[in-house]
């Protein structure tokens, strides 16, 4: 029997990168998945077709711009219409990153970064936690970053949001624990996924270097000297969502080759 048969998961930011791989692995293990994230109709149709042809569990797509609280509330209502018992697993993975010194940091991007990472996670947890409590079981995973544990120049909004997400994780972990609900944060380093490509490109522009040179620096920052794969992050997520991880709660788990311990 697949590990997540009968379970239902929302994975935000599941139209690309890490979130898409998490959704694929959950669906591959019998979980019904609600995909959500930005993308044109062609992308959404092709993802739905892929999931429906590969996996026996149910897959839906419900759109929401996570910078917009009304859109988030509409999203929650639509999910509850489809699944009146609520969901079992919530993965708050969506995120954006823009790098600039704080003097020049655009207000709109600061607001959007905090909205997508922090405020959207708050509203989604607030909406679905009571139904997890009714089931006496739930798993909440918040995708932070090594930037939630350390920081770097140019990352004021990203690092602030990712640190904040760890605070939210700890509070929800304590409130959920008596009801069989765990909440943990994952803190990846450089993952071979689109957000890192944007950062590498931007650093190459700023430093007058090539993409390959900046990528080599990213890789050598990690003591293991390796890029992290989306598969590795997804497998960690699935472990934290499993019954085996019932006593891992409120943790912020780095997956960065040891970069943050120096
Ligand atoms: P990605 O750009 O491939 O995916 C981001 C997802 O968020 C997409 O599905 C996108 O549609 C969604 N999203 C963005 N803005 C949105 C909005 N306004 N409303 C709704 N959805 C929105 O990025 P990724 O590399 O897969 O990263 C996924 C998560 O992992 C992010 O939270 C990121 O901060 C975190 N992370 C990534 C890395 C890395 O190296 N790639 C490292 C550490 C942490």
């Amino acid at each position: 029997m697949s590990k997540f048969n009968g379970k239902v998961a929302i994975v935000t930011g599941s139209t690309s990168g890490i979130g898409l791989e998490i959704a694929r692995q959950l669906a591959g293990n019998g979980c019904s998945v609600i995909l959500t994230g930005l993308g044109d109709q062609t992308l959404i149709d092709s993802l739905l077709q892929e999931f429906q042809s590969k996996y026996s569990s149910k897959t839906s797509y419900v759109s929401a711009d996570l910078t917009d609280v009304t859109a988030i509330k509409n999203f929650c209502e639509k999910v509850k219409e489809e699944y009146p018992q609520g969901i079992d697993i919530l993965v708050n993975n969506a995120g954006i990153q823009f790098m600039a010194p704080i003097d020049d940091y655009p207000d709109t991007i600061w607001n959007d970064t905090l909205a997508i990472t922090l405020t959207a996670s708050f509203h989604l947890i607030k909406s679905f936690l009571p139904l997890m409590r009714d089931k006496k079981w739930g798993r909440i995973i918040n995708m932070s970053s090594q930037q939630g544990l350390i920081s770097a120049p140019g990352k004021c909004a990203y690092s602030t949001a990712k640190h904040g997400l760890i605070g939210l994780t700890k509070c929800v972990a304590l409130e959920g624990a008596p009801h069989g609900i765990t909440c943990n944060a994952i803190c990846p380093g450089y993952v071979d996924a689109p957000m890192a490509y944007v950062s590498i490109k931007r650093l190459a522009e700023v430093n007058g270097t090539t993409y390959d040179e900046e990528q080599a620096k990213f890789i050598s920052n990690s003591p293991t000297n390796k890029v992290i794969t989306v598969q590795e992050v997804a497998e960690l997520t699935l472990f934290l969502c499993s019954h085996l991880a019932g006593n891992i709660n409120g943790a912020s788990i780095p997956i960065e080759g040891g970069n943050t311990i120096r």
Side-chain angles (χ1 to χ4, degrees):
M1 190 202 239
S2 296
K3 265 193 293 199
F4 296 103
N5 268 357
K7 302 280 189 219
V8 180
I10 293 173
V11 184
T12 71
S14 45
T15 49
S16 80
I18 295 171
L20 178 54
E21 180 60 23
I22 293 170
R24 283 182 174 136
Q25 290 199 17
L26 283 168
N29 280 280
C31 193
S32 296
V33 176
I34 296 132
L35 300 173
T36 184
L38 306 180
D40 62 20
Q41 200 52 48
T42 312
L43 172 70
I44 308 304
D45 289 345
S46 78
L47 288 177
L48 286 173
Q49 201 176 22
E50 175 202 321
F51 275 70
Q52 281 153 11
S53 65
K54 278 195 190 157
Y55 311 118
S56 54
S57 52
K58 184 175 163 189
T59 309
S60 348
Y61 170 81
V62 182
S63 71
D65 176 350
L66 297 179
T67 60
D68 176 352
V69 173
T70 308
I72 297 169
K73 291 189 173 169
N74 290 339
F75 169 86
C76 295
E77 287 316 307
K78 281 188 198 149
V79 171
K80 285 176 192 169
E81 275 166 29
E82 193 174 347
Y83 293 101
Q85 314 290 318
I87 57 158
D88 306 280
I89 295 168
L90 170 62
V91 184
N92 286 310
N93 164 78
I96 55 168
Q97 183 177 193
F98 179 81
M99 290 176 66
I102 195 160
D103 322 31
D104 305 327
Y105 209 89
D107 295 358
T108 50
I109 300 181
W110 168 272
N111 289 338
D112 285 353
T113 306
L114 266 65
I116 296 166
T117 303
L118 268 184
T119 309
S121 301
F122 158 74
H123 283 292
L124 290 168
I125 294 168
K126 184 178 173 183
S127 181
F128 289 105
L129 190 78
L131 295 165
M132 289 181 181
R133 211 159 34 222
D134 291 348
K135 297 178 186 213
K136 299 181 172 43
W137 197 91
R139 294 284 185 266
I140 299 168
I141 308 294
N142 293 325
M143 196 57 66
S144 182
S145 163
Q146 64 180 0
Q147 292 297 317
L149 303 169
I150 55 173
S151 196
K155 300 204 176 192
C156 63
Y158 188 72
S159 188
T160 300
K162 295 300 192 184
H163 274 78
L165 197 53
I166 288 175
L168 178 66
T169 301
K170 290 177 181 173
C171 178
V172 174
L174 292 172
E175 293 190 18
H179 308 283
I181 302 161
T182 66
C183 181
N184 291 289
I186 295 178
C187 303
Y190 165 37
V191 183
D192 189 14
M195 186 172 286
Y197 310 151
V198 175
S199 300
I200 293 171
K201 206 165 154 245
R202 172 87 183 127
L203 284 167
E205 281 163 15
V206 171
N207 297 333
T209 50
T210 64
Y211 186 94
D212 288 348
E213 283 167 336
E214 287 303 326
Q215 187 185 38
K217 282 194 228 163
F218 265 58
I219 297 171
S220 65
N221 271 343
S222 168
T224 55
N225 208 32
K226 282 191 186 129
V227 181
I228 297 137
T229 65
V230 291
Q231 285 78 14
E232 287 173 296
V233 180
E235 277 163 23
L236 175 58
T237 306
L238 262 71
F239 175 71
L240 292 173
C241 291
S242 72
H243 286 278
L244 291 173
N247 271 315
I248 303 176
N249 191 30
S252 309
I253 302 177
I255 172 166
E256 35 56 301
N259 190 29
T260 61
I261 58 177
R262 292 178 292 195

